[in-house]
Amino acid sequence: MRWITLDDFIDISSKVAQRGGDFFLSKFTLDKKSRTKSAFDDTFIQSSNWWIIPKVRKRWNTLITGDPDINYKQHFIANYCQERSDLRLLSLGAGTCSHELELARYPQFAEIVCVDLAENRLAQAKEIAEAQQLSNIHFVASDLNTYPFAEEYFDIVLFNASLHHFEQVEKLLTSQVNKTLKPNGYVVINEYVGPDRLQYPKYQIKAINNALKSIDPEYRKRFKTRFPKNRYYGSGVWRMIMADPSECVDSAAILPALHAHFITCEEKGYGGNILMSVLKDISHHFVTPTLEQEAMLQRLFDLEDTYLTSHDSDFVFGVYQKK
C-alpha cells in the first residue's frame, strides 16, 4: 500500500490550477461527507480524463456490445427490456443523471428515481428533464442512511460509476438493494472494480509507464498546467482519502459480492487498467485527434488489449439477477 507518492503532489497542484483554490481548501474539513460532496460539487466540472475522448468511448461500446455505435444502455434495453413495460429503475449515486435521462426517453420506463448527495447536480438534471418534458424521472438528494428503500418496488437498480464509492458493498447489495428489487429484478453496473484506493500492483504501474512512453512528449502536457506527464507513480492512500473519502473505498469487493448473491446474466470487461491512468490529465489532446494522434491512441489500445489477455479488467459492465 502506498500512503504518499510524487503523483499526490502533482495532482494537488494540477487540481488547484484546474478547479481553483476554493476547491483545494474544501478538503480541509473533518467531515467526510463534505469532502465527498466537494469532489462532485461543480455540475460542469472541466476535466481531462479518458472518458472525454470519443474514440475511447467507442472502444468501450465495442468491447461491451460488439458495436462502436451502441452503448450499454441501448444494449440493455434491447436484450432485457424489449417486451416489457411499466418498469421502475433506481439509480444510486446518479450524479448529473445523464444516463438516466437517456433511459427516461424509452417507453418501457414508468418511473426512474435518481439518488445522489450533490443537490446542485440533481437540480441541473431536473431542469433538463423539464425542458425535455420527461415526467417519468425524479430526483432525490439523499445518502443511503436516510433514503427509504421501498420493499420489492424496483425492477432495476443501476450503478453507473457509483458503486465503487460506497462502503461495505456486500452489505449494501444484500440488504438495501436486494430488499428494494422485485423478484427476478436486475442489478446493472458500469463500474470500476479494480483494487481499492487505486493501489495497483507494481507490474501494472510498470505497464502504465511503458504505455505513457509511447505518447509523444508534446501531447503529455497536463490540462490547464505547464507540467509535463513523464511518469506515473500511482495514487497515495492519504491523498485519496483527503480528496474524496468515498473513492474506490471497497471496489475490489464488487464482483465477489455480485457473484455470491446474484445470478450473473452478463459481464463484459472493457479495460481501463492502462488507459485510465495514462490518459488522466492529458486526454484533451486526443478529443479531436489528428492521424498522428489516432495512431498513438491505437498503440495504447493495443498495449491494453495485450495486458488484458493475462489480467482481469478494472472496468466492467454487468447485468445480475436477483436470486
Side-chain angles (χ1 to χ4, degrees):
M1 185 174 288
R2 299 176 299 275
W3 284 101
I4 191 165
T5 74
L6 184 56
D7 271 350
D8 295 334
F9 296 99
I10 295 171
D11 190 76
I12 290 169
S13 300
S14 299
K15 285 293 186 294
V16 171
Q18 294 163 7
R19 301 184 64 178
D22 289 343
F23 171 77
F24 176 70
L25 293 174
S26 72
K27 301 305 175 182
F28 290 91
T29 172
L30 295 177
D31 188 339
K32 290 169 59 178
K33 185 186 293 187
S34 294
R35 298 206 305 275
T36 296
K37 287 180 70 175
S38 74
F40 304 97
D41 199 39
D42 185 353
T43 307
F44 299 104
I45 295 172
Q46 284 190 308
S47 70
S48 186
N49 290 304
W50 68 320
W51 59 74
I52 72 171
I53 302 174
K55 284 191 173 294
V56 166
R57 295 200 299 270
K58 283 184 176 292
R59 171 181 164 83
W60 298 348
N61 291 345
T62 300
L63 292 173
I64 293 171
T65 73
D67 188 321
D69 297 317
I70 296 177
N71 65 39
Y72 81 84
K73 290 149 288 185
Q74 295 166 315
H75 173 80
F76 178 73
I77 295 295
N79 289 276
Y80 297 91
C81 307
Q82 197 63 43
E83 305 300 325
R84 302 185 65 180
S85 60
D86 297 321
L87 292 173
R88 293 190 177 101
L89 181 146
L90 172 66
S91 178
L92 296 173
T96 57
C97 309
S98 60
H99 303 277
E100 296 76 10
L101 288 163
E102 180 180 341
L103 289 168
R105 292 193 283 270
Y106 285 92
Q108 287 92 338
F109 289 99
E111 183 180 14
I112 293 177
V113 178
C114 300
V115 180
D116 198 271
L117 279 173
E119 298 96 334
N120 59 325
R121 302 184 103 190
L122 294 177
Q124 181 65 32
K126 185 177 180 180
E127 289 183 12
I128 295 172
E130 290 173 349
Q132 296 180 357
Q133 298 183 323
L134 297 172
S135 60
N136 60 341
I137 185 167
H138 311 289
F139 308 93
V140 179
S142 176
D143 64 19
L144 296 189
N145 296 320
T146 57
Y147 180 72
F149 286 88
E151 189 167 351
E152 294 190 355
Y153 184 79
F154 290 100
D155 300 278
I156 303 156
V157 174
L158 172 66
F159 293 97
N160 186 90
S162 60
L163 185 52
H164 69 274
H165 284 280
F166 293 112
E167 296 182 277
Q168 298 181 300
V169 164
E170 186 167 22
K171 181 180 178 182
L172 167 64
L173 292 171
T174 56
S175 56
Q176 290 105 316
V177 171
N178 198 57
K179 168 190 170 182
T180 202
L181 274 177
K182 294 178 182 178
N184 300 317
Y186 294 112
V187 174
V188 178
I189 70 166
N190 179 41
E191 278 295 336
Y192 170 80
V193 297
D196 294 350
R197 303 293 190 192
L198 303 180
Q199 295 301 292
Y200 301 139
K202 290 182 180 179
Y203 60 79
Q204 186 170 351
I205 291 179
K206 181 179 179 180
I208 291 167
N209 279 309
N210 286 337
L212 184 59
K213 291 175 185 175
S214 72
I215 299 176
D216 290 356
E218 63 183 300
Y219 304 122
R220 291 194 221 141
K221 184 178 177 182
R222 296 175 185 267
F223 184 57
K224 287 190 174 182
T225 78
R226 293 176 293 175
F227 307 138
K229 183 173 184 176
N230 295 324
R231 185 171 178 82
Y232 176 78
Y233 297 91
S235 298
V237 172
W238 179 82
R239 194 263 306 170
M240 291 197 68
I241 293 173
M242 287 299 296
D244 178 5
S246 74
E247 185 63 65
C248 308
V249 63
D250 198 22
S251 52
I254 291 173
L255 290 186
L258 286 166
H259 294 162
H261 301 289
F262 294 82
I263 300 166
T264 302
C265 302
E266 183 176 1
E267 195 170 84
K268 300 283 182 63
Y270 57 96
N273 306 53
I274 291 175
L275 289 177
M276 180 177 73
S277 300
V278 168
L279 292 168
K280 182 178 185 292
D281 285 338
I282 62 172
S283 295
H284 57 290
H285 296 294
F286 302 96
V287 173
T288 54
T290 63
L291 290 176
E292 179 189 18
Q293 291 167 323
E294 284 188 3
M296 288 181 215
L297 282 175
Q298 189 57 54
R299 286 201 297 270
L300 293 179
F301 296 167
D302 292 342
L303 286 167
E304 180 160 274
D305 286 339
T306 299
Y307 185 90
L308 291 173
T309 60
S310 54
H311 299 91
D312 292 334
S313 174
D314 278 349
F315 284 81
V316 163
F317 161 75
V319 180
Y320 309 87
Q321 191 168 41
K322 181 177 178 178
K323 292 182 178 179

